[in-house]
Structure formats: C-alpha cells, structure tokens
C-alpha cells in the first residue's frame, strides 16, 4: 500500500513513496494517525484486517484507549 497520501509524521522512518504491507500501514495509522487518517484507513482496508491489527495492538497491553476507540467506533464491536 502506498503511504504517500498519509502524513509523513505517521511513517517517519520510511521513504515518502514507500509501498508497505497493508497490515503495517494499518498499525501505524491506528497508533499514530489522527481521526481523519483512521477513518480513511477504515474505508481503504477490510474490517477483518483492521480487527486483526487492533487485536495485535491490544495483546501488547498498551494503547487501551485507541484499541477501545477502534472497537467501538470503527469496528462497531
């Protein structure tokens, strides 16, 4: 997935025109993106992939508020 249409601040360690795996893009956007970025990624990627990434983030035991937001608002869980 191309990251050029997302803010460079989300992908600070990658080249601006990088083509990254969808799962990595979703994780970076969920963790570091603002609401517009999160809503955009939720339209561009399947809900199953977003759920998988959200579950992976939750397993780490951090980012509880962000995971809760993703589950309640984006994934309607």
């Amino acid at each position: 997935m191309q990251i050029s249409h997302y803010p460079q601040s989300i992908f600070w360690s990658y080249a601006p025109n990088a083509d990254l795996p969808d799962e990595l893009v979703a994780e970076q956007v969920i963790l570091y993106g603002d609401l517009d970025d999160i809503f955009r990624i939720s339209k561009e990627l399947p809900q199953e992939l977003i759920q998988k990434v959200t579950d992976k983030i939750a397993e780490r035991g951090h980012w509880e508020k962000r995971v809760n937001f993703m589950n309640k608002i984006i994934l309607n869980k």
Side-chain angles (χ1 to χ4, degrees):
M1 175 176 223
Q2 289 291 324
I3 61 170
S4 57
H5 59 279
Y6 287 98
Q8 182 62 31
S9 60
I10 298 174
F11 300 98
W12 62 89
S13 60
Y14 299 97
N17 60 347
D19 188 17
L20 301 175
D22 291 348
E23 191 171 323
L24 177 61
V25 173
E27 183 175 352
Q28 289 291 109
V29 170
I30 290 169
L31 293 178
Y32 305 113
D34 62 18
L35 289 177
D36 290 336
D37 302 322
I38 291 173
F39 290 131
R40 180 185 301 154
I41 201 78
S42 71
K43 292 176 184 172
E44 293 178 355
L45 295 177
Q47 293 285 316
E48 296 81 23
L49 178 68
I50 294 173
Q51 180 65 59
K52 179 181 173 184
V53 171
T54 302
D55 292 345
K56 180 180 163 186
I57 293 168
E59 287 175 6
R60 295 184 206 154
H62 299 289
W63 301 94
E64 292 93 8
K65 289 182 181 179
R66 190 62 66 116
V67 168
N68 188 43
F69 173 81
M70 293 300 296
N71 286 333
K72 299 280 187 201
I73 305 300
I74 303 299
L75 299 172
N76 298 317
K77 279 181 46 177

